Amino acid sequence: MNENLFASFVTPTMMGLPIVILIIMLPPMLLTSSKRLISNRFHSFQQWLIKLIIKQMMLIHSPKGRTWSLMLVSLIMFIGSTNLLGLLPHTFTPTTQLSTNLCMAIPLWAGAVILGFRHKLKASLAHFLPQGTPISLIPMLIIIETISLFIQPMALAVRLTANITAGHLLIHLIGGATLVLTSISPPTATITFIILALLTILEFAVALIQAYVFTLLVSLYLHDNT
Amino acid sequence: MASLVPMKEKKLMEVKHGELPSWMLMRNFTPSGIVGAFQRGYDRYYNKYINVRKGSISGINMVLAAYVVFSSCISYKEFKHEWQCKYHNEGTAHLIIGTSPTPIHEELNSGWIFMS
C-alpha cells in the first residue's frame, strides 16, 4: 500500500522514452490561436478568459512592468490548465514534480530581481531595511530580509508542489477507503463518498487558485522591482 | 489493372489491398513529413469539431477522453495490482479470466489502518 500510494507520481516512461514531454506539450495544444477577429466559440471563450486575467493582473503595473504581460498570462494559463488536466483519472500532472515548479519559479523571480537591481539599484537595496526600524536591530534585520528574499523562489515552487500533491494524495486515499468500505458497511461508504465529492470540488478550486497565487506573487515581485 | 494516378499521391482509402505495403514504404518519413502529418491531423480535427459555428463541448471532451485512455494505458502496470477479485485463494484466482491474485484482505487491512 505504501509503495502504491506514490506510484502515481512517477514520471511516465514508455519503453524508456519519456512520455512526460508529450504530456507537458498537451495543455498548450488545447489553447488555440486564431487569425480572425471573431472566431469559433472555443476560441472566443479563451479570449474572454485572457482578457479577464489581464485586466485583473496587469492594472497595478507601470508600463515597464506591463511588458511582462505575455509571460504572466502564459504562466497562469499553463499552470491552470495543467492542474485541471491532472484531476482527470490516471493522468500525470507535471506540477506535482518539484523540478517543474523550480524551473518555473527561479528564472521568473531572478528576472524580476535582476531587473530591479539594474534599473533602480537604490530602491532595490532599500527593500532590505524597512522604514522606522530601531538602529540596534538593523544588522539582524538586513540578514533576515536577505534570507527572505532568497527564499522566495523556493517558497513559490514548494507551495505549488505541496498543494497539488497533497490534494491528489487525499483523493487517492479517500477513494481507496470508499471502495473498501462498500463491502464492509455501505452507510459509512456513503459518507466517505460525500467527502470525496466535496474534496474533488475543492481540488478544482485549488487547481485554479494555485495558478493564480503563483502568478500573482511573481507579478508582485515584478511590481517591487520596476 | 494499371492505375492512372501515381501511387505516391494516393490517399489511404484509394490504395488497393495488395498495394498497401509498397504504399506505406513510399510515405514521407522525414521529420518534416511527420510534422506535416501531425499538422494535417490536427487541422482536420480542429476544422471538423471546434472551428464550427455552433461548436459544442464534445469537441474538447473527445480529446480529454482520449487523453484519459492514453494515460490509463501508460499507468496500467501500477493499477493492475489494485483490482478487487472475488476469490483470494492464489490457486483459483489464476483460473478466473487471468486476474492477478490480489488478496482482497490486503485492501481490508489498509482500510482498517486508515479507520483507526
Side-chain angles (χ1 to χ4, degrees):
Chain A
M1 182 70 186
N2 279 337
E3 195 258 305
N4 283 337
L5 200 54
F6 286 101
S8 56
F9 295 113
V10 161
T11 0
T13 56
M14 183 164 78
M15 302 183 294
L17 290 171
I19 302 284
V20 63
I21 297 178
L22 292 177
I23 294 180
I24 291 185
M25 282 188 341
L26 180 70
M29 283 203 280
L30 296 176
L31 300 169
T32 49
S33 63
S34 171
K35 298 181 196 126
R36 301 200 169 138
L37 187 62
I38 300 177
S39 40
N40 50 58
R41 276 184 185 177
F42 191 61
H43 186 69
S44 307
F45 172 71
Q46 278 173 15
Q47 273 179 331
W48 168 81
L49 196 63
I50 291 178
K51 198 162 137 190
L52 187 74
I53 293 171
I54 284 187
K55 274 199 177 159
Q56 171 73 23
M57 200 162 291
M58 304 313 286
L59 214 56
I60 52 168
H61 285 127
S62 60
K64 197 170 178 61
R66 283 184 193 162
T67 54
W68 279 50
S69 318
L70 180 62
M71 184 71 233
L72 292 176
V73 171
S74 316
L75 186 69
I76 190 174
M77 293 301 278
F78 176 71
I79 300 180
S81 57
T82 312
N83 290 347
L84 284 175
L85 279 176
L87 288 171
L88 294 168
H90 298 301
T91 47
F92 172 72
T93 322
T95 40
T96 52
Q97 310 296 314
L98 189 62
S99 46
T100 316
N101 298 335
L102 275 175
C103 281
M104 286 194 289
I106 291 184
L108 289 169
W109 165 84
V113 165
I114 290 175
L115 202 67
F117 273 105
R118 276 188 68 182
H119 294 281
K120 299 198 312 186
L121 183 62
K122 264 195 223 166
S124 307
L125 286 174
H127 277 308
F128 285 122
L129 194 63
Q131 259 182 341
T133 54
I135 297 182
S136 51
L137 283 177
I138 286 180
M140 202 181 72
L141 209 56
I142 291 186
I143 294 175
I144 291 178
E145 288 288 327
T146 316
I147 294 175
S148 90
L149 179 75
F150 280 99
I151 229 173
Q152 279 172 353
M154 301 295 149
L156 270 177
V158 170
R159 180 186 305 116
L160 185 57
T161 312
N163 268 301
I164 306 295
T165 313
H168 286 206
L169 270 177
L170 268 177
I171 290 181
H172 271 273
L173 280 171
I174 296 188
T178 317
L179 261 182
V180 167
L181 283 174
T182 32
S183 49
I184 300 176
S185 101
T188 326
T190 320
I191 296 176
T192 325
F193 184 72
I194 292 176
I195 296 178
L196 183 65
L198 292 174
L199 190 66
T200 312
I201 296 174
L202 175 69
E203 282 312 307
F204 273 100
V206 164
L208 298 169
I209 288 171
Q210 284 306 312
Y212 176 64
V213 163
F214 195 100
T215 318
L216 190 69
L217 284 172
V218 171
S219 95
L220 218 63
Y221 302 150
L222 183 66
H223 185 65
D224 281 342
N225 287 313
T226 48
Chain B
M1 201 158 133
S3 45
L4 299 167
V5 180
M7 179 129 62
K8 196 161 186 186
E9 289 149 15
K10 277 197 205 172
K11 292 194 199 169
L12 179 61
M13 290 300 148
E14 295 161 14
V15 171
K16 294 193 176 32
H17 188 73
E19 295 171 356
L20 194 62
S22 46
W23 177 85
M24 288 211 55
L25 289 171
M26 275 199 195
R27 297 297 291 169
N28 186 6
F29 286 114
T30 62
S32 68
I34 293 179
V35 166
F38 275 110
Q39 186 66 36
R40 285 196 305 272
Y42 177 83
D43 286 339
R44 255 179 79 178
Y45 187 85
Y46 184 72
N47 288 328
K48 184 164 181 193
Y49 290 108
I50 301 181
N51 201 8
V52 289
R53 181 182 285 272
K54 283 192 168 190
S56 67
I57 205 171
S58 60
I60 184 126
N61 267 355
M62 285 194 278
V63 176
L64 295 180
Y67 179 51
V68 169
V69 169
F70 173 71
S71 307
S72 310
C73 295
I74 297 287
S75 56
Y76 180 70
K77 256 195 268 184
E78 278 93 34
F79 71 83
K80 193 170 68 163
H81 299 298
E82 290 169 17
W83 284 357
Q84 313 228 0
C85 67
K86 198 169 164 189
Y87 302 101
H88 43 89
N89 188 356
E90 286 212 13
T92 48
H94 277 297
L95 295 175
I96 300 170
I97 323 166
T99 51
S100 58
T102 313
I104 197 166
H105 56 262
E106 186 189 328
E107 299 288 335
L108 280 176
N109 280 341
S110 58
W112 282 117
I113 291 169
F114 181 76
M115 291 277 285
S116 60

